[in-house]
Amino acid sequence: MIIFLVAFTFSASFACFQYSLSHYADDMYQNHTIQDVGRLLPTKIERIEKGKEADQIAHILKKAQSEGLKVSIAGKRRSQGGHTYYPDGVVLDMTSFNRILEIDKKRKTIHVQSGATWDDIQKALAPEGLAVKVMQSQNIFTVGGAVSVNVHGRDIKNESLSNSINWFHLLLPNGKIVKVDRQSEPELFKDVLGGYGLFGIILDVELQVTDDEVYEISSKKVSVEEFPEYVQSIRENPEVKMAYARISVAPKTSMDSMFVVEYHKTKQPLTEKLRKLKEDQQPFLTYSFLNLSRKTSFGKDWLWYLQEKYILSLDKTLISRNNAMRSESDFLLYKNQKNTDTLQEFFIPIDEYPSYVKDMKEFLKKDDINLLNFTIRYVSKDDSSRLSYAKTDMIALVALFNHGKQKQDMEKAQQAIQEMIDITLRHNGTFYLPYYPYASKKQLLEAYPNFNEFVKEKEKYDPNENITSLFYERYRNEN
């Protein structure tokens, strides 16, 4: 029974955690004050406008400019650093601009409006025997938002999302609509991919898709020392299509115990039972288990034991590609007046991993930051974005924290996370930008040496900064 319950807790990755917008719509937008899921940056805005048609979206942008108001672009608002709003500005909500426009089975492509979620896309693809190439490990995010942060996922062969994008239409700040691809607009393509919605409004996207396949799960324990060699071996194995790992943050086994989960291609037929998409299941169980881990060391030890036991029990289980990429529940619906959950993500060159883990272990021994989880993925070198987070083939470590909302709590969390970033940078690593901006400007520039070039590109396409965000202003203006 315990293992059954833990299945709901850990079947989906912590990497891109979410809150249900329907649960929190009123709370996130009351009295013209908006927040994102971290609930650390409440900001007064002028209004929210719903994008419904291309002409109407262009009109919203033009009207805001005539009123001297800044515009920020929002999908599901799962980022955590004020990426989707700006003080006294207009928030353009793209979630109603969400149609599936065309599926071409012969070319294996899907054309969608940018407010479509991965759930919408999977529901359209699954009956056709097709599947997404790259997406987050939860399916509630919009395509436009995913493009704007250039996501990566469990697929170890298809790299970041940028590699499955054929083209997109972009509404520029000056009102012009352009079709952007690698050949016709190579620099703008690099700006928008991982550009955090700062270069215009992504209207629609054509994505390459692939066949829905049947995978067999292989789960096992590995050591920290052998992990780099293990990563290389699965990269070279044509039968391993997806993989992820977790390393313990529980006190008894912290940064020592690891397990890995692989998805091996099989020749099994894609039956209707396997093809059927999984739906959300009992997120309150996740809340209960994780909440115990938030509060006690015992809870962390117990939770690691149970999730490891459950994951290892999945060995030999069959699953479709679509379901392997699909969250079982819209979970982590955590809401507390005194504290919050936040994410950070660190990227380390593969051969640095053992020494990095050693240094991180020493840090965690002396610091009492409430680290709840480390999920690990492989990320290939990627230069498709001007703000690329993968300077070489890297291992991504997604960290989930819990900390208080008071000023002193946030300052303490910032100090700890900046120390973790410093450790990462010493190991030639980088960190991801969709999360709360705890990093200093100096750390940002070390991880993203092209940031000043990024700013110059932004000034070229949007000299009046008609489209902006709290996130951009934070790093644009800091010395």
Side-chain angles (χ1 to χ4, degrees), residues 32-36 39-45 85 87 470:
H32 297 281
T33 297
I34 196 168
Q35 300 199 61
D36 51 29
R39 300 180 178 278
L40 296 175
L41 292 169
T43 301
K44 177 183 174 296
I45 62 169
Y85 49 89
L470 274 180

Side-chain angles (χ1 to χ4, degrees), residues 315-364:
D315 200 51
K316 307 299 183 183
T317 301
L318 295 180
I319 191 170
S320 70
R321 178 181 178 89
N322 274 320
N323 280 321
M325 302 177 82
R326 184 178 179 84
S327 169
E328 285 192 351
S329 59
D330 185 9
F331 69 110
L332 283 176
L333 303 177
Y334 183 65
K335 182 179 177 183
N336 190 288
Q337 292 297 318
K338 295 182 179 180
N339 58 72
T340 187
D341 288 347
T342 62
L343 283 171
Q344 296 289 319
E345 184 167 356
F346 312 107
F347 302 91
I348 296 297
I350 294 172
D351 58 358
E352 295 276 352
Y353 181 76
S355 59
Y356 177 76
V357 168
K358 181 180 178 181
D359 287 350
M360 194 61 73
K361 180 179 180 179
E362 290 303 310
F363 165 77
L364 293 173

Side-chain angles (χ1 to χ4, degrees), residues 35-36 38-42 80-81 85 337-342 344 369 401-418 436-439 474:
Q35 300 199 61
D36 51 29
R39 300 180 178 278
L40 296 175
L41 292 169
Q80 295 184 303
Y85 49 89
Q337 292 297 318
K338 295 182 179 180
N339 58 72
T340 187
D341 288 347
T342 62
Q344 296 289 319
I369 189 168
F401 303 95
N402 178 268
H403 63 73
K405 297 179 181 179
Q406 298 299 314
K407 181 180 178 182
Q408 62 270 25
D409 299 321
M410 294 172 64
E411 289 175 347
K412 183 180 177 182
Q414 180 168 27
Q415 181 179 355
I417 290 169
Q418 285 188 356
Y436 195 84
Y438 281 128
R474 155 87 165 92

Side-chain angles (χ1 to χ4, degrees), residues 88-333:
D88 297 316
V90 175
V91 172
L92 175 57
D93 183 339
M94 296 293 288
T95 55
S96 298
F97 194 69
N98 61 356
R99 292 197 298 273
I100 306 297
L101 300 173
E102 182 184 16
I103 296 174
D104 188 325
K105 291 186 69 173
K106 185 175 181 181
R107 293 176 55 237
K108 291 186 180 177
T109 61
I110 186 168
H111 181 202
V112 302
Q113 292 180 330
S114 60
T117 65
W118 294 115
D119 183 46
D120 297 330
I121 291 172
Q122 287 186 313
K123 286 177 178 175
L125 290 176
E128 306 296 333
L130 297 172
V132 173
K133 280 190 172 183
V134 179
M135 57 178 273
Q136 297 101 317
S137 55
Q138 275 76 41
N139 57 30
I140 54 87
F141 300 94
T142 64
V143 171
V147 172
S148 295
V149 300
N150 192 22
V151 299
H152 60 92
R154 293 180 178 178
D155 192 296
I156 62 173
K157 299 297 198 291
N158 285 306
E159 304 167 339
S160 67
L161 178 63
S162 62
N163 290 284
S164 62
I165 296 172
N166 288 338
W167 51 263
F168 53 88
H169 282 117
L170 184 73
L171 175 62
L172 292 168
N174 64 10
K176 180 182 178 182
I177 295 176
V178 294
K179 184 176 181 180
V180 181
D181 59 35
R182 293 173 184 81
Q183 290 73 42
S184 64
E185 295 280 357
E187 296 306 307
L188 190 54
F189 189 91
K190 292 181 70 172
D191 292 333
V192 176
L193 268 292
Y196 297 89
L198 293 166
F199 286 85
I201 301 162
I202 300 168
L203 295 175
D204 54 284
V205 185
E206 185 182 84
L207 297 166
Q208 299 170 11
V209 297
T210 189
D211 294 323
D212 198 5
E213 301 170 327
V214 179
Y215 297 149
E216 182 179 85
I217 295 175
S218 173
S219 56
K220 58 187 176 183
K221 299 178 74 170
V222 298
S223 71
V224 170
E225 291 72 21
E226 70 181 347
F227 191 64
E229 185 177 345
Y230 161 80
V231 170
Q232 190 59 38
S233 69
I234 61 170
R235 275 287 293 163
E236 294 173 352
N237 185 341
E239 299 305 312
V240 180
K241 299 298 184 179
M242 295 192 290
Y244 71 94
R246 291 207 178 101
I247 187 167
S248 172
V249 297
K252 289 183 179 179
T253 54
S254 180
M255 305 306 285
D256 286 328
S257 180
M258 284 186 67
F259 63 77
V260 297
V261 182
E262 303 167 8
Y263 297 84
H264 292 242
K265 184 179 178 180
T266 73
K267 295 182 179 179
Q268 296 290 330
L270 184 66
T271 63
E272 285 304 311
K273 182 178 180 180
L274 287 169
R275 185 198 303 266
K276 184 178 179 181
L277 297 177
K278 298 181 293 185
E279 299 298 333
D280 292 353
Q281 301 179 53
Q282 303 188 41
F284 71 91
L285 293 172
T286 300
Y287 177 91
S288 299
F289 279 108
L290 190 56
N291 202 39
L292 181 63
S293 182
R294 287 185 185 99
K295 296 176 180 178
T296 67
S297 295
F298 166 77
K300 289 181 174 65
D301 285 325
W302 186 68
L303 198 51
W304 175 256
Y305 168 77
L306 289 175
Q307 72 160 309
E308 183 182 69
K309 193 173 183 66
Y310 167 70
I311 291 296
L312 295 177
S313 75
L314 293 177
D315 200 51
K316 307 299 183 183
T317 301
L318 295 180
I319 191 170
S320 70
R321 178 181 178 89
N322 274 320
N323 280 321
M325 302 177 82
R326 184 178 179 84
S327 169
E328 285 192 351
S329 59
D330 185 9
F331 69 110
L332 283 176
L333 303 177

